[in-house]
Amino acid sequence: MAEIIRMPKMSDTMEEGVIAAWLKKVGDQVKPGDILAEVETDKATMELESYEEGTLLYIGVQEKDSVPVNGIIAIIGEKGEDYKHLLEGGSSAAPAKKEEAPQAAPTAPQSAPAPAEKIDTSSINATVITMPKMSDTMQEGTIATWLKKVGDAVKSGEIIAEVETDKATMELESYEDGVLLYIGVEAGNSVPVDGVIAVIGEKGADFNTLLKAHQTSGSAAEPVAESKPSAAPSQEQAPAPSVAASPAPTAAPVSSNSNERVKASPLAKKIAQDKGLDIRQVAGSGEGGRIVKKDVENFVPAAAPAVAAPAATSAPVLGQESFREEKVSQMRKTIAKRLAESKYSAPHFYLTMEINMDKAIEARKSMNEISPVKISFNDMVIKAAAAALRQHPKVNSSWLGDKIRYNDHIHIGMAVAVEEGLLVPVIRFADSLSLSQISNQAKTLGAKAKNKELQPKDWEGNTFTISNLGMFGIDEFTAIINPPDACILAVGGIKETVVVKDGQMKIGNVMKVTLSCDHRVVDGAVGSAFLLTLKGLLEDPVRILI
């Protein structure tokens, strides 16, 4: 039976995805674990994996085109199977490119739900499993893969599925003992928080009655694909002939003799992608054959894969104007949207101050002689900012529209540049951490951000943010406030320059910092007092340790 493949929601801010490349074309055989396409989201470019076996009958989205979440992107079924009735009953969010003659619907609509009435389920020994809320911003989750199938025995504590949230894939743990009686969401589909995804209970339990009772109670939305609005689309994508000639020449070669899903850590996949390796050729040394970082780093291909040479293009004539245009990535769209909202909704003002870093340079050199991890100047700025926030709690605040929140805890967001844009992992309770602990956390979170391994707890809850461009030779800059914070500190590089001390000109090391403030929350005097305290702590670093 043909199955609709829809665009999964891979991030809490994702509204649409872009097909970066199709790795299969209409008419190709598809097996579970095969990668159908690469999808560009707001956070990363991710692989769209098939969980169905059959023939790719229909492609609804051309490469480089976008499709809204839950829009139809493909159909997989038996060769020659009629799939047009699925398009007629599909989501109206499916993209429409070409007009097709209307056809009479061959099948009747889905039967209406049972009328709301009290259903006795006291004798049914089974439990409905709903989609949990895995982060404070999560609205939907996508079932990446099911690790159990209907009929399997399940014990409390076992992992039954992997769920994709906005920035990570997380494990869904069972808290019930019994048999997996029902799966309500196919792998690759999304379901809202509290939507029904499965039923676990004793073998033979009447789960259909339990589901009807759950539905009539109005406590959750039906998660299956047919529950989307059934308004018929006015246009359809022309079927196979128009898209069959859309190969994906840029895709890395994929081994076709593997029927199983590749088990690999996200870091291993990222390293393999960066090295241009086919991860299916790498032997895994982890638990259950899982491919880990060292497997990819130590892998030596038997022979370099033959890559088709790109079509030769003539070099532009001297003085000839030329350009190229690229569609905006999903991460860049999100950055543009959030920072534009911050810039134009929060009245920014800026305070800049010079800080003499001579003593900080000496203190860092001395501390690194005994510290278990190398302490950076950025670590010292984070520690000093946390200590200054403790003395100036009005800076450690958020604008909530009709009220201002003054945070008692201090969580420092640390801006990290990644290839696709910018992420802000959070160092929690920074004021209570030692410099070596801050250094260790900063290095760990920075590596996770670059390798796309951050978990929800790693990026949520910042109360103040620091952005440091000093390592790029930037003397000073202004940063846009990172909501929900009221302030962000922009840190420039340390520059050797002439300073006047005790009426004498001397060579000193100076660092400029600029505090961007939301004037709805923080006034000039409050921000200035904070910077004076920060200056005092960095110019005499011993005070940070008290």
PDB file of all heavy atoms in Angstrom, residues 154-190:
ATOM      1  N   VAL A 154       7.498  -5.000  26.090  1.00  0.00           N
ATOM      2  CA  VAL A 154       8.163  -3.768  26.519  1.00  0.00           C
ATOM      3  C   VAL A 154       8.238  -3.762  28.040  1.00  0.00           C
ATOM      4  O   VAL A 154       7.263  -4.094  28.722  1.00  0.00           O
ATOM      5  CB  VAL A 154       7.391  -2.520  26.027  1.00  0.00           C
ATOM      6  CG1 VAL A 154       8.064  -1.249  26.525  1.00  0.00           C
ATOM      7  CG2 VAL A 154       7.295  -2.508  24.517  1.00  0.00           C
ATOM      8  N   LYS A 155       9.404  -3.382  28.537  1.00  0.00           N
ATOM      9  CA  LYS A 155       9.583  -3.256  29.979  1.00  0.00           C
ATOM     10  C   LYS A 155       9.828  -1.801  30.342  1.00  0.00           C
ATOM     11  O   LYS A 155      10.329  -1.016  29.534  1.00  0.00           O
ATOM     12  CB  LYS A 155      10.771  -4.114  30.446  1.00  0.00           C
ATOM     13  CG  LYS A 155      10.552  -5.610  30.289  1.00  0.00           C
ATOM     14  CD  LYS A 155      11.752  -6.391  30.818  1.00  0.00           C
ATOM     15  CE  LYS A 155      11.535  -7.893  30.679  1.00  0.00           C
ATOM     16  NZ  LYS A 155      12.706  -8.671  31.162  1.00  0.00           N
ATOM     17  N   SER A 156       9.484  -1.457  31.569  1.00  0.00           N
ATOM     18  CA  SER A 156       9.702  -0.101  32.048  1.00  0.00           C
ATOM     19  C   SER A 156      11.191   0.228  31.978  1.00  0.00           C
ATOM     20  O   SER A 156      12.034  -0.546  32.422  1.00  0.00           O
ATOM     21  CB  SER A 156       9.201   0.038  33.478  1.00  0.00           C
ATOM     22  OG  SER A 156       9.452   1.322  33.980  1.00  0.00           O
ATOM     23  N   GLY A 157      11.509   1.391  31.376  1.00  0.00           N
ATOM     24  CA  GLY A 157      12.900   1.802  31.238  1.00  0.00           C
ATOM     25  C   GLY A 157      13.473   1.538  29.865  1.00  0.00           C
ATOM     26  O   GLY A 157      14.537   2.073  29.522  1.00  0.00           O
ATOM     27  N   GLU A 158      12.789   0.727  29.052  1.00  0.00           N
ATOM     28  CA  GLU A 158      13.283   0.443  27.711  1.00  0.00           C
ATOM     29  C   GLU A 158      12.982   1.608  26.771  1.00  0.00           C
ATOM     30  O   GLU A 158      11.989   2.314  26.931  1.00  0.00           O
ATOM     31  CB  GLU A 158      12.650  -0.831  27.156  1.00  0.00           C
ATOM     32  CG  GLU A 158      13.222  -2.104  27.746  1.00  0.00           C
ATOM     33  CD  GLU A 158      12.729  -3.355  27.026  1.00  0.00           C
ATOM     34  OE1 GLU A 158      11.565  -3.371  26.581  1.00  0.00           O
ATOM     35  OE2 GLU A 158      13.516  -4.292  26.905  1.00  0.00           O
ATOM     36  N   ILE A 159      13.857   1.798  25.781  1.00  0.00           N
ATOM     37  CA  ILE A 159      13.678   2.847  24.776  1.00  0.00           C
ATOM     38  C   ILE A 159      12.809   2.273  23.662  1.00  0.00           C
ATOM     39  O   ILE A 159      13.148   1.256  23.063  1.00  0.00           O
ATOM     40  CB  ILE A 159      15.031   3.326  24.210  1.00  0.00           C
ATOM     41  CG1 ILE A 159      15.968   3.729  25.360  1.00  0.00           C
ATOM     42  CG2 ILE A 159      14.819   4.474  23.238  1.00  0.00           C
ATOM     43  CD1 ILE A 159      15.408   4.798  26.253  1.00  0.00           C
ATOM     44  N   ILE A 160      11.685   2.936  23.389  1.00  0.00           N
ATOM     45  CA  ILE A 160      10.772   2.417  22.367  1.00  0.00           C
ATOM     46  C   ILE A 160      10.883   3.180  21.048  1.00  0.00           C
ATOM     47  O   ILE A 160      10.504   2.664  20.001  1.00  0.00           O
ATOM     48  CB  ILE A 160       9.305   2.435  22.866  1.00  0.00           C
ATOM     49  CG1 ILE A 160       8.845   3.849  23.202  1.00  0.00           C
ATOM     50  CG2 ILE A 160       9.138   1.511  24.054  1.00  0.00           C
ATOM     51  CD1 ILE A 160       7.371   3.948  23.569  1.00  0.00           C
ATOM     52  N   ALA A 161      11.426   4.419  21.084  1.00  0.00           N
ATOM     53  CA  ALA A 161      11.525   5.196  19.840  1.00  0.00           C
ATOM     54  C   ALA A 161      12.535   6.312  20.027  1.00  0.00           C
ATOM     55  O   ALA A 161      12.921   6.655  21.152  1.00  0.00           O
ATOM     56  CB  ALA A 161      10.165   5.776  19.445  1.00  0.00           C
ATOM     57  N   GLU A 162      12.984   6.866  18.902  1.00  0.00           N
ATOM     58  CA  GLU A 162      13.810   8.069  18.901  1.00  0.00           C
ATOM     59  C   GLU A 162      12.955   9.213  18.357  1.00  0.00           C
ATOM     60  O   GLU A 162      12.309   9.077  17.322  1.00  0.00           O
ATOM     61  CB  GLU A 162      15.050   7.884  18.040  1.00  0.00           C
ATOM     62  CG  GLU A 162      16.020   6.856  18.614  1.00  0.00           C
ATOM     63  CD  GLU A 162      17.233   6.653  17.720  1.00  0.00           C
ATOM     64  OE1 GLU A 162      17.225   7.172  16.586  1.00  0.00           O
ATOM     65  OE2 GLU A 162      18.191   5.985  18.146  1.00  0.00           O
ATOM     66  N   VAL A 163      12.948  10.334  19.077  1.00  0.00           N
ATOM     67  CA  VAL A 163      12.105  11.478  18.731  1.00  0.00           C
ATOM     68  C   VAL A 163      12.981  12.668  18.384  1.00  0.00           C
ATOM     69  O   VAL A 163      13.877  13.034  19.152  1.00  0.00           O
ATOM     70  CB  VAL A 163      11.167  11.841  19.905  1.00  0.00           C
ATOM     71  CG1 VAL A 163      10.331  13.077  19.564  1.00  0.00           C
ATOM     72  CG2 VAL A 163      10.252  10.669  20.242  1.00  0.00           C
ATOM     73  N   GLU A 164      12.727  13.272  17.226  1.00  0.00           N
ATOM     74  CA  GLU A 164      13.453  14.469  16.814  1.00  0.00           C
ATOM     75  C   GLU A 164      12.761  15.703  17.361  1.00  0.00           C
ATOM     76  O   GLU A 164      11.577  15.918  17.122  1.00  0.00           O
ATOM     77  CB  GLU A 164      13.524  14.560  15.287  1.00  0.00           C
ATOM     78  CG  GLU A 164      14.422  13.512  14.651  1.00  0.00           C
ATOM     79  CD  GLU A 164      14.473  13.652  13.149  1.00  0.00           C
ATOM     80  OE1 GLU A 164      13.803  14.570  12.625  1.00  0.00           O
ATOM     81  OE2 GLU A 164      15.172  12.859  12.504  1.00  0.00           O
ATOM     82  N   THR A 165      13.528  16.508  18.123  1.00  0.00           N
ATOM     83  CA  THR A 165      13.031  17.799  18.583  1.00  0.00           C
ATOM     84  C   THR A 165      13.700  18.871  17.736  1.00  0.00           C
ATOM     85  O   THR A 165      14.200  18.592  16.661  1.00  0.00           O
ATOM     86  CB  THR A 165      13.333  17.994  20.076  1.00  0.00           C
ATOM     87  OG1 THR A 165      14.755  18.069  20.259  1.00  0.00           O
ATOM     88  CG2 THR A 165      12.777  16.829  20.888  1.00  0.00           C
ATOM     89  N   ASP A 166      13.722  20.127  18.225  1.00  0.00           N
ATOM     90  CA  ASP A 166      14.216  21.210  17.380  1.00  0.00           C
ATOM     91  C   ASP A 166      15.717  21.138  17.143  1.00  0.00           C
ATOM     92  O   ASP A 166      16.181  21.509  16.070  1.00  0.00           O
ATOM     93  CB  ASP A 166      13.861  22.573  17.988  1.00  0.00           C
ATOM     94  CG  ASP A 166      14.229  22.663  19.456  1.00  0.00           C
ATOM     95  OD1 ASP A 166      14.667  21.640  20.016  1.00  0.00           O
ATOM     96  OD2 ASP A 166      14.090  23.742  20.035  1.00  0.00           O
ATOM     97  N   LYS A 167      16.506  20.658  18.101  1.00  0.00           N
ATOM     98  CA  LYS A 167      17.950  20.671  17.905  1.00  0.00           C
ATOM     99  C   LYS A 167      18.617  19.340  18.193  1.00  0.00           C
ATOM    100  O   LYS A 167      19.841  19.239  18.149  1.00  0.00           O
ATOM    101  CB  LYS A 167      18.599  21.734  18.796  1.00  0.00           C
ATOM    102  CG  LYS A 167      18.173  23.150  18.471  1.00  0.00           C
ATOM    103  CD  LYS A 167      18.967  24.143  19.276  1.00  0.00           C
ATOM    104  CE  LYS A 167      18.521  25.568  19.001  1.00  0.00           C
ATOM    105  NZ  LYS A 167      17.213  25.888  19.529  1.00  0.00           N
ATOM    106  N   ALA A 168      17.855  18.314  18.505  1.00  0.00           N
ATOM    107  CA  ALA A 168      18.472  17.034  18.861  1.00  0.00           C
ATOM    108  C   ALA A 168      17.489  15.896  18.655  1.00  0.00           C
ATOM    109  O   ALA A 168      16.285  16.103  18.535  1.00  0.00           O
ATOM    110  CB  ALA A 168      18.936  17.062  20.324  1.00  0.00           C
ATOM    111  N   THR A 169      18.040  14.688  18.591  1.00  0.00           N
ATOM    112  CA  THR A 169      17.232  13.472  18.559  1.00  0.00           C
ATOM    113  C   THR A 169      17.315  12.833  19.940  1.00  0.00           C
ATOM    114  O   THR A 169      18.415  12.529  20.429  1.00  0.00           O
ATOM    115  CB  THR A 169      17.740  12.499  17.487  1.00  0.00           C
ATOM    116  OG1 THR A 169      17.647  13.128  16.210  1.00  0.00           O
ATOM    117  CG2 THR A 169      16.903  11.231  17.487  1.00  0.00           C
ATOM    118  N   MET A 170      16.164  12.626  20.573  1.00  0.00           N
ATOM    119  CA  MET A 170      16.135  12.154  21.951  1.00  0.00           C
ATOM    120  C   MET A 170      15.410  10.815  22.033  1.00  0.00           C
ATOM    121  O   MET A 170      14.615  10.462  21.159  1.00  0.00           O
ATOM    122  CB  MET A 170      15.449  13.198  22.842  1.00  0.00           C
ATOM    123  CG  MET A 170      16.050  14.588  22.704  1.00  0.00           C
ATOM    124  SD  MET A 170      15.272  15.825  23.764  1.00  0.00           S
ATOM    125  CE  MET A 170      15.876  15.286  25.363  1.00  0.00           C
ATOM    126  N   GLU A 171      15.713  10.070  23.093  1.00  0.00           N
ATOM    127  CA  GLU A 171      15.140   8.746  23.279  1.00  0.00           C
ATOM    128  C   GLU A 171      13.820   8.834  24.049  1.00  0.00           C
ATOM    129  O   GLU A 171      13.702   9.587  25.011  1.00  0.00           O
ATOM    130  CB  GLU A 171      16.125   7.851  24.026  1.00  0.00           C
ATOM    131  CG  GLU A 171      17.396   7.575  23.232  1.00  0.00           C
ATOM    132  CD  GLU A 171      18.406   6.761  24.035  1.00  0.00           C
ATOM    133  OE1 GLU A 171      18.356   6.814  25.282  1.00  0.00           O
ATOM    134  OE2 GLU A 171      19.249   6.078  23.423  1.00  0.00           O
ATOM    135  N   LEU A 172      12.839   8.067  23.581  1.00  0.00           N
ATOM    136  CA  LEU A 172      11.536   8.016  24.247  1.00  0.00           C
ATOM    137  C   LEU A 172      11.485   6.743  25.087  1.00  0.00           C
ATOM    138  O   LEU A 172      11.493   5.635  24.550  1.00  0.00           O
ATOM    139  CB  LEU A 172      10.412   8.024  23.218  1.00  0.00           C
ATOM    140  CG  LEU A 172       8.983   7.947  23.779  1.00  0.00           C
ATOM    141  CD1 LEU A 172       8.667   9.180  24.617  1.00  0.00           C
ATOM    142  CD2 LEU A 172       7.975   7.807  22.655  1.00  0.00           C
ATOM    143  N   GLU A 173      11.435   6.910  26.384  1.00  0.00           N
ATOM    144  CA  GLU A 173      11.504   5.785  27.313  1.00  0.00           C
ATOM    145  C   GLU A 173      10.106   5.340  27.737  1.00  0.00           C
ATOM    146  O   GLU A 173       9.208   6.170  27.934  1.00  0.00           O
ATOM    147  CB  GLU A 173      12.315   6.213  28.538  1.00  0.00           C
ATOM    148  CG  GLU A 173      12.553   5.120  29.553  1.00  0.00           C
ATOM    149  CD  GLU A 173      13.445   5.580  30.694  1.00  0.00           C
ATOM    150  OE1 GLU A 173      14.173   6.578  30.512  1.00  0.00           O
ATOM    151  OE2 GLU A 173      13.421   4.951  31.775  1.00  0.00           O
ATOM    152  N   SER A 174       9.932   4.041  27.851  1.00  0.00           N
ATOM    153  CA  SER A 174       8.657   3.508  28.312  1.00  0.00           C
ATOM    154  C   SER A 174       8.626   3.471  29.839  1.00  0.00           C
ATOM    155  O   SER A 174       9.624   3.129  30.478  1.00  0.00           O
ATOM    156  CB  SER A 174       8.450   2.091  27.777  1.00  0.00           C
ATOM    157  OG  SER A 174       7.312   1.496  28.388  1.00  0.00           O
ATOM    158  N   TYR A 175       7.485   3.847  30.401  1.00  0.00           N
ATOM    159  CA  TYR A 175       7.293   3.766  31.850  1.00  0.00           C
ATOM    160  C   TYR A 175       6.258   2.700  32.209  1.00  0.00           C
ATOM    161  O   TYR A 175       5.783   2.644  33.337  1.00  0.00           O
ATOM    162  CB  TYR A 175       6.863   5.129  32.401  1.00  0.00           C
ATOM    163  CG  TYR A 175       7.913   6.192  32.198  1.00  0.00           C
ATOM    164  CD1 TYR A 175       7.837   7.058  31.123  1.00  0.00           C
ATOM    165  CD2 TYR A 175       9.010   6.296  33.046  1.00  0.00           C
ATOM    166  CE1 TYR A 175       8.817   8.023  30.906  1.00  0.00           C
ATOM    167  CE2 TYR A 175       9.995   7.246  32.847  1.00  0.00           C
ATOM    168  CZ  TYR A 175       9.886   8.115  31.779  1.00  0.00           C
ATOM    169  OH  TYR A 175      10.853   9.058  31.565  1.00  0.00           O
ATOM    170  N   GLU A 176       5.928   1.862  31.224  1.00  0.00           N
ATOM    171  CA  GLU A 176       4.935   0.811  31.407  1.00  0.00           C
ATOM    172  C   GLU A 176       5.533  -0.545  31.032  1.00  0.00           C
ATOM    173  O   GLU A 176       6.408  -0.636  30.176  1.00  0.00           O
ATOM    174  CB  GLU A 176       3.693   1.069  30.539  1.00  0.00           C
ATOM    175  CG  GLU A 176       3.056   2.439  30.726  1.00  0.00           C
ATOM    176  CD  GLU A 176       2.401   2.604  32.079  1.00  0.00           C
ATOM    177  OE1 GLU A 176       2.022   1.560  32.674  1.00  0.00           O
ATOM    178  OE2 GLU A 176       2.256   3.740  32.544  1.00  0.00           O
ATOM    179  N   ASP A 177       5.035  -1.595  31.684  1.00  0.00           N
ATOM    180  CA  ASP A 177       5.343  -2.972  31.302  1.00  0.00           C
ATOM    181  C   ASP A 177       4.177  -3.516  30.493  1.00  0.00           C
ATOM    182  O   ASP A 177       3.021  -3.211  30.777  1.00  0.00           O
ATOM    183  CB  ASP A 177       5.555  -3.855  32.535  1.00  0.00           C
ATOM    184  CG  ASP A 177       6.833  -3.494  33.291  1.00  0.00           C
ATOM    185  OD1 ASP A 177       7.761  -2.969  32.649  1.00  0.00           O
ATOM    186  OD2 ASP A 177       6.893  -3.722  34.509  1.00  0.00           O
ATOM    187  N   GLY A 178       4.480  -4.316  29.481  1.00  0.00           N
ATOM    188  CA  GLY A 178       3.406  -4.921  28.702  1.00  0.00           C
ATOM    189  C   GLY A 178       3.835  -5.200  27.282  1.00  0.00           C
ATOM    190  O   GLY A 178       5.012  -5.427  26.997  1.00  0.00           O
ATOM    191  N   VAL A 179       2.857  -5.174  26.366  1.00  0.00           N
ATOM    192  CA  VAL A 179       3.086  -5.443  24.949  1.00  0.00           C
ATOM    193  C   VAL A 179       2.729  -4.192  24.163  1.00  0.00           C
ATOM    194  O   VAL A 179       1.749  -3.506  24.476  1.00  0.00           O
ATOM    195  CB  VAL A 179       2.226  -6.638  24.470  1.00  0.00           C
ATOM    196  CG1 VAL A 179       2.361  -6.838  22.962  1.00  0.00           C
ATOM    197  CG2 VAL A 179       2.640  -7.913  25.203  1.00  0.00           C
ATOM    198  N   LEU A 180       3.544  -3.858  23.154  1.00  0.00           N
ATOM    199  CA  LEU A 180       3.232  -2.725  22.288  1.00  0.00           C
ATOM    200  C   LEU A 180       2.071  -3.127  21.376  1.00  0.00           C
ATOM    201  O   LEU A 180       2.234  -3.897  20.437  1.00  0.00           O
ATOM    202  CB  LEU A 180       4.455  -2.323  21.460  1.00  0.00           C
ATOM    203  CG  LEU A 180       4.305  -1.069  20.587  1.00  0.00           C
ATOM    204  CD1 LEU A 180       3.899   0.135  21.421  1.00  0.00           C
ATOM    205  CD2 LEU A 180       5.602  -0.777  19.840  1.00  0.00           C
ATOM    206  N   LEU A 181       0.874  -2.622  21.698  1.00  0.00           N
ATOM    207  CA  LEU A 181      -0.353  -3.037  21.004  1.00  0.00           C
ATOM    208  C   LEU A 181      -0.631  -2.211  19.757  1.00  0.00           C
ATOM    209  O   LEU A 181      -1.254  -2.702  18.806  1.00  0.00           O
ATOM    210  CB  LEU A 181      -1.550  -2.911  21.958  1.00  0.00           C
ATOM    211  CG  LEU A 181      -1.459  -3.697  23.275  1.00  0.00           C
ATOM    212  CD1 LEU A 181      -2.626  -3.331  24.172  1.00  0.00           C
ATOM    213  CD2 LEU A 181      -1.428  -5.191  23.005  1.00  0.00           C
ATOM    214  N   TYR A 182      -0.160  -0.955  19.749  1.00  0.00           N
ATOM    215  CA  TYR A 182      -0.591  -0.046  18.680  1.00  0.00           C
ATOM    216  C   TYR A 182       0.446   1.048  18.489  1.00  0.00           C
ATOM    217  O   TYR A 182       1.025   1.548  19.462  1.00  0.00           O
ATOM    218  CB  TYR A 182      -1.929   0.580  19.078  1.00  0.00           C
ATOM    219  CG  TYR A 182      -2.392   1.762  18.243  1.00  0.00           C
ATOM    220  CD1 TYR A 182      -2.991   1.588  17.004  1.00  0.00           C
ATOM    221  CD2 TYR A 182      -2.221   3.069  18.722  1.00  0.00           C
ATOM    222  CE1 TYR A 182      -3.418   2.683  16.257  1.00  0.00           C
ATOM    223  CE2 TYR A 182      -2.650   4.167  17.981  1.00  0.00           C
ATOM    224  CZ  TYR A 182      -3.250   3.969  16.752  1.00  0.00           C
ATOM    225  OH  TYR A 182      -3.671   5.048  16.018  1.00  0.00           O
ATOM    226  N   ILE A 183       0.738   1.385  17.233  1.00  0.00           N
ATOM    227  CA  ILE A 183       1.597   2.512  16.893  1.00  0.00           C
ATOM    228  C   ILE A 183       0.767   3.487  16.067  1.00  0.00           C
ATOM    229  O   ILE A 183       0.223   3.114  15.024  1.00  0.00           O
ATOM    230  CB  ILE A 183       2.843   2.054  16.106  1.00  0.00           C
ATOM    231  CG1 ILE A 183       3.812   1.298  17.037  1.00  0.00           C
ATOM    232  CG2 ILE A 183       3.546   3.243  15.460  1.00  0.00           C
ATOM    233  CD1 ILE A 183       5.056   0.769  16.346  1.00  0.00           C
ATOM    234  N   GLY A 184       0.639   4.701  16.547  1.00  0.00           N
ATOM    235  CA  GLY A 184      -0.238   5.673  15.906  1.00  0.00           C
ATOM    236  C   GLY A 184       0.463   6.654  14.997  1.00  0.00           C
ATOM    237  O   GLY A 184      -0.193   7.420  14.303  1.00  0.00           O
ATOM    238  N   VAL A 185       1.798   6.647  15.003  1.00  0.00           N
ATOM    239  CA  VAL A 185       2.547   7.603  14.179  1.00  0.00           C
ATOM    240  C   VAL A 185       3.660   6.844  13.469  1.00  0.00           C
ATOM    241  O   VAL A 185       4.506   6.231  14.113  1.00  0.00           O
ATOM    242  CB  VAL A 185       3.167   8.727  15.036  1.00  0.00           C
ATOM    243  CG1 VAL A 185       3.802   9.782  14.135  1.00  0.00           C
ATOM    244  CG2 VAL A 185       2.129   9.355  15.935  1.00  0.00           C
ATOM    245  N   GLU A 186       3.645   6.883  12.163  1.00  0.00           N
ATOM    246  CA  GLU A 186       4.690   6.225  11.395  1.00  0.00           C
ATOM    247  C   GLU A 186       5.993   6.991  11.542  1.00  0.00           C
ATOM    248  O   GLU A 186       6.014   8.200  11.750  1.00  0.00           O
ATOM    249  CB  GLU A 186       4.298   6.147   9.912  1.00  0.00           C
ATOM    250  CG  GLU A 186       3.108   5.239   9.633  1.00  0.00           C
ATOM    251  CD  GLU A 186       3.362   3.791  10.023  1.00  0.00           C
ATOM    252  OE1 GLU A 186       4.500   3.332   9.821  1.00  0.00           O
ATOM    253  OE2 GLU A 186       2.450   3.134  10.540  1.00  0.00           O
ATOM    254  N   ALA A 187       7.115   6.275  11.431  1.00  0.00           N
ATOM    255  CA  ALA A 187       8.425   6.906  11.487  1.00  0.00           C
ATOM    256  C   ALA A 187       8.536   7.964  10.395  1.00  0.00           C
ATOM    257  O   ALA A 187       8.148   7.747   9.261  1.00  0.00           O
ATOM    258  CB  ALA A 187       9.523   5.858  11.319  1.00  0.00           C
ATOM    259  N   GLY A 188       9.039   9.127  10.774  1.00  0.00           N
ATOM    260  CA  GLY A 188       9.169  10.232   9.832  1.00  0.00           C
ATOM    261  C   GLY A 188       8.041  11.229   9.929  1.00  0.00           C
ATOM    262  O   GLY A 188       8.155  12.331   9.395  1.00  0.00           O
ATOM    263  N   ASN A 189       6.935  10.866  10.607  1.00  0.00           N
ATOM    264  CA  ASN A 189       5.801  11.785  10.756  1.00  0.00           C
ATOM    265  C   ASN A 189       5.891  12.525  12.079  1.00  0.00           C
ATOM    266  O   ASN A 189       6.501  12.054  13.039  1.00  0.00           O
ATOM    267  CB  ASN A 189       4.474  11.038  10.659  1.00  0.00           C
ATOM    268  CG  ASN A 189       4.176  10.587   9.234  1.00  0.00           C
ATOM    269  OD1 ASN A 189       4.805  11.054   8.296  1.00  0.00           O
ATOM    270  ND2 ASN A 189       3.236   9.691   9.085  1.00  0.00           N
ATOM    271  N   SER A 190       5.252  13.681  12.145  1.00  0.00           N
ATOM    272  CA  SER A 190       5.259  14.485  13.360  1.00  0.00           C
ATOM    273  C   SER A 190       3.913  14.388  14.065  1.00  0.00           C
ATOM    274  O   SER A 190       2.894  14.062  13.454  1.00  0.00           O
ATOM    275  CB  SER A 190       5.574  15.943  13.038  1.00  0.00           C
ATOM    276  OG  SER A 190       4.625  16.465  12.136  1.00  0.00           O
TER     277      SER A 190
END
